[in-house]
């Protein structure tokens, strides 16, 4: 079999081996990724911690707006110093039991409950935002692994090709038809491929550890090779994506709730200019005395309230609530502005990656393969030197890497875009 046929058969054989290695991934790529994301959302400790934090806020809602505990009072009133436990010597002596209850000014309890509920709702949106971020991180890591696996396949294919070329160049040199520098150059290129392989393997191990951390698996768990990916094109326009973000982005809802909470805080601060009341009821039990008093029982009913004279403190509370409102509104405006930029940037990057994929698939890769075949054919008949063959092969190697990197970049930008709008995008 000629060297030309060897070099053509090797990539096909490696491709078949790659397909066989990925046979464990019988599901479609998108389904596998969805399952991985679902596992991360189910097991990731950061999400669980956020959910526990939300439970804290929901418990505070139940506490807010309730009355303070009533106060029970027991006392001896007007007792005699000379005979402390005698109740029938003096008609003013009595045993007293009383109860009092502090009641906030009208509307305060409802506002406190509403503020706590808004806090809980904002916490819920913060959890959803973390879920969105986790989905993006898992998808990005997934496609980085995808590129690393494709790069390893390309390197292995090129090492096998170089082995064939090097054996052929050594044979040509042995019969006096080749140059020693051809043999040395081929060995150098193969060593460079081995070095590249070690680097990619290290990168993959790091990405594998990151994926396991996101999934809350042991860091040394094996992540099988990532299956082939296809471009998922985005058919929505910039305006449609921005509208989608307005509806679905949890952080936008979070900031809207913060604005509402600041408005409630202002109303509550205004209520602080009014007093809180304490209602009390006392029952006084008296004994008949030796001095002829019948010892009629008595009661006492009263109300007390604070005098809100500390106006400076209350005005500061108002200013604080207004500042929180302005801050939340500006944060919301900044986020909307950032979303507009992120959507535009992701669309531009995806368009560039899509065009690069088409360029490599339809132009550069076929041309590079033809160049390799032409250089091999010319080298076999002595019309080209070995350097041309190696250069053509290395260019093909680089083009293949760039092709898969463009696919990975496109899919990662799609994941970033989905995180920006806060929801998954429809498949094309």
């Amino acid at each position: 079999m000629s060297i030309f046929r060897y070099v053509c058969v090797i990539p096909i054989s490696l491709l078949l081996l790659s397909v066989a290695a990925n046979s464990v991934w019988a599901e479609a790529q998108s389904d596998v990724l969805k399952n991985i994301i679902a596992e991360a959302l189910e097991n990731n400790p950061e999400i669980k911690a956020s959910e526990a934090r939300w439970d804290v806020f929901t418990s505070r809602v139940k506490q807010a707006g309730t009355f303070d505990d009533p106060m029970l009072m027991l006392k001896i009133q007007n007792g005699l110093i000379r005979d402390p436990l005698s109740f029938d010597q003096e008609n003013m002596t009595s045993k007293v039991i009383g109860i009092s209850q502090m009641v906030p000014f009208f509307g305060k309890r409802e506002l406190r409950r509403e503020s706590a509920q808004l806090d809980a709702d904002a916490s819920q949106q913060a959890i959803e935002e973390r879920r969105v971020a986790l989905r993006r991180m898992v998808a990005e890591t997934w496609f980085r692994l995808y590129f690393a696996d494709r790069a390893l396949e390309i390197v292995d294919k090129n090492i096998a090709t170089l082995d064939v070329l090097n054996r052929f160049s050594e044979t040509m040199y042995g019969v006096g038809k080749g140059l020693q520098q051809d043999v040395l150059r081929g060995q150098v290129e193969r060593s460079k491929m081995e070095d590249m392989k070690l680097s990619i393997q290290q990168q993959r191990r790091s990405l594998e550890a990151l994926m396991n951390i996101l999934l809350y698996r042991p860091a040394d768990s094996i992540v099988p090779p990532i299956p082939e990916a296809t471009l998922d094109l985005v058919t929505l326009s910039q305006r449609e994506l921005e509208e989608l973000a307005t509806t679905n982005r949890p952080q936008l809802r979070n900031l809207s709730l913060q604005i509402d909470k600041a408005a409630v805080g202002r109303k509550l601060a205004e209520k602080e200019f009014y007093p809180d009341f304490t209602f009390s009821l006392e029952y006084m039990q008296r004994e008949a005395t030796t001095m002829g008093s019948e010892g009629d029982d008595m009661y006492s009913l009263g109300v007390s309230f604070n005098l809100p004279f500390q106006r400076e403190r209350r005005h500061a509370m108002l200013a604080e609530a207004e500042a929180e409102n302005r801050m939340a509104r500006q944060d919301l405006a900044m986020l909307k502005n950032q979303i507009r930029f992120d959507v535009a940037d992701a669309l531009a990057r995806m368009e560039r990656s899509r065009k690069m994929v088409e360029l490599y698939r339809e132009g550069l890769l076929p041309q590079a393969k033809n160049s390799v075949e032409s250089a091999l054919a010319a080298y076999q008949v002595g019309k080209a030197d070995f350097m041309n063959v190696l250069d053509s092969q290395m260019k093909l190697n680089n083009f293949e890497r760039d092709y898969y990197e463009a696919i990975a970049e496109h899919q990662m930008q799609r994941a970033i875009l989905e995180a920006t709008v806060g929801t998954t995008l429809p498949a094309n």
Side-chain angles (χ1 to χ4, degrees):
M1 184 181 291
S2 68
I3 184 175
F4 177 80
R5 294 178 63 188
Y6 269 112
V7 173
C8 291
V9 167
I10 287 173
I12 297 174
S13 301
L14 289 175
L15 178 62
L16 293 175
L17 288 174
S18 174
V19 172
N22 290 334
S23 62
V24 295
W25 300 86
E27 301 170 272
Q29 169 228 330
S30 59
D31 292 334
V32 177
L33 181 54
K34 286 178 182 177
N35 292 337
I36 291 293
I37 291 174
E39 181 180 349
L41 294 175
E42 177 68 24
N43 299 327
N44 189 273
E46 183 182 359
I47 298 297
K48 291 184 177 295
S50 299
E51 291 172 346
R53 190 175 297 112
W54 178 70
D55 290 338
V56 171
F57 282 103
T58 54
S59 297
R60 288 178 181 174
V61 175
K62 299 176 182 178
Q63 301 173 48
T66 59
F67 288 109
D68 289 342
D69 290 333
M71 298 292 292
L72 178 67
M73 183 266 294
L74 300 172
K75 68 178 180 179
I76 297 175
Q77 184 168 298
N78 299 324
L80 297 175
I81 297 298
R82 67 174 184 272
D83 192 359
L85 298 180
S86 177
F87 302 105
D88 58 358
Q89 299 298 315
E90 172 61 48
N91 61 3
M92 296 296 293
T93 301
S94 60
K95 300 184 283 293
V96 182
I97 180 171
I99 189 168
S100 63
Q101 174 68 59
M102 195 278 284
V103 178
F105 189 80
F106 176 77
K108 280 186 178 181
R109 290 191 304 116
E110 289 74 14
L111 289 171
R112 288 169 183 165
R113 186 183 297 110
E114 185 178 355
S115 179
Q117 184 62 59
L118 288 169
D119 268 337
D121 294 342
S123 176
Q124 178 64 40
Q125 296 308 314
I127 296 173
E128 293 305 318
E129 184 70 15
R130 288 184 178 89
R131 290 176 180 274
V132 167
L134 183 59
R135 283 196 292 266
R136 175 185 60 79
M137 293 172 65
V138 171
E140 281 191 277
T141 306
W142 172 273
F143 287 109
R144 291 185 191 280
L145 281 166
Y146 162 81
F147 173 61
D149 287 339
R150 300 295 86 75
L152 284 173
E153 291 173 3
I154 293 168
V155 169
D156 286 338
K157 179 185 70 176
N158 279 277
I159 288 175
T161 300
L162 286 173
D163 286 340
V164 175
L165 292 174
N166 287 340
R167 284 196 295 270
F168 187 77
S169 67
E170 290 168 0
T171 301
M172 297 292 286
Y173 175 68
V175 298
K177 294 184 179 181
L179 301 175
Q180 186 180 23
Q181 67 180 21
D182 294 344
V183 177
L184 297 176
R185 175 67 185 276
Q187 293 172 350
V188 169
E189 290 298 335
R190 191 189 189 287
S191 297
K192 289 168 64 176
M193 286 292 103
E194 290 287 354
D195 179 68
M196 182 181 294
K197 182 177 181 179
L198 291 175
S199 177
I200 297 172
Q201 287 175 334
Q202 179 273 317
Q203 293 174 14
R204 193 190 192 282
R205 283 194 294 270
S206 297
L207 290 169
E208 192 174 49
L210 175 58
M211 180 65 84
N212 286 325
I213 294 301
L214 294 174
L215 299 176
Y216 199 50
R217 296 174 177 174
D220 57 352
S221 298
I222 301 299
V223 177
I226 307 302
E228 278 291 345
T230 56
L231 294 186
D232 292 327
L233 303 180
V234 174
T235 57
L236 301 178
S237 66
Q238 169 94 20
R239 182 178 296 276
E240 289 172 327
L241 289 167
E242 290 176 9
E243 292 174 354
L244 203 61
T246 302
T247 306
N248 295 281
R249 181 69 184 270
Q251 186 63 13
L252 285 175
R253 295 197 293 269
N254 182 298
L255 291 174
S256 295
L257 290 168
Q258 294 296 339
I259 293 173
D260 294 340
K261 180 176 180 294
V264 171
R266 191 184 193 288
K267 292 179 182 178
L268 190 56
E270 291 173 347
K271 292 288 185 181
E272 289 297 322
F273 286 89
Y274 299 93
D276 298 326
F277 300 90
T278 300
F279 297 95
S280 61
L281 173 65
E282 296 179 6
Y283 170 72
M284 292 170 282
Q285 191 270 325
R286 298 194 305 162
E287 302 285 349
T289 66
T290 57
M291 299 177 64
S293 172
E294 295 182 0
D296 293 330
D297 293 346
M298 305 176 71
Y299 78 94
S300 176
L301 180 65
V303 59
S304 61
F305 51 87
N306 64 301
L307 300 177
F309 287 162
Q310 302 298 329
R311 313 286 284 183
E312 183 178 356
R313 177 173 66 85
R314 289 168 171 82
H315 282 297
M317 293 173 65
L318 268 177
E320 179 184 354
E322 291 169 353
E324 288 179 350
N325 187 289
R326 292 195 304 272
M327 180 177 66
R329 289 184 182 277
Q330 293 306 314
D331 285 344
L332 181 61
M334 284 193 301
L335 180 58
K336 288 181 177 179
N337 199 44
Q338 185 65 44
I339 286 174
R340 285 193 289 269
F341 169 77
D342 290 344
V343 168
D345 183 61
L347 287 176
R349 290 176 182 272
M350 290 179 71
E351 179 66 12
R352 175 180 176 274
S353 299
R354 182 188 65 79
K355 290 182 177 179
M356 287 181 63
V357 169
E358 292 178 356
L359 176 63
Y360 281 111
R361 184 174 56 217
E362 299 173 7
L364 292 177
L365 282 175
Q367 293 168 9
K369 291 175 182 177
N370 291 335
S371 177
V372 171
E373 294 171 0
S374 176
L376 283 171
Y379 177 62
Q380 283 186 301
V381 297
K383 293 184 178 180
D385 58 30
F386 188 67
M387 299 304 176
N388 288 340
V389 178
L390 281 181
D391 288 341
S392 298
Q393 184 62 38
M394 292 304 102
K395 285 180 181 179
L396 176 59
N397 169 54
N398 293 334
F399 286 162
E400 287 177 334
R401 281 173 52 85
D402 292 342
Y403 168 72
Y404 286 111
E405 186 176 19
I407 293 177
E409 175 67 19
H410 182 280
Q411 294 303 102
M412 285 190 290
Q413 288 300 323
R414 181 185 171 93
I416 292 172
L417 184 59
E418 289 183 340
T420 300
V421 300
T423 186
T424 55
L425 297 174
N428 58 316

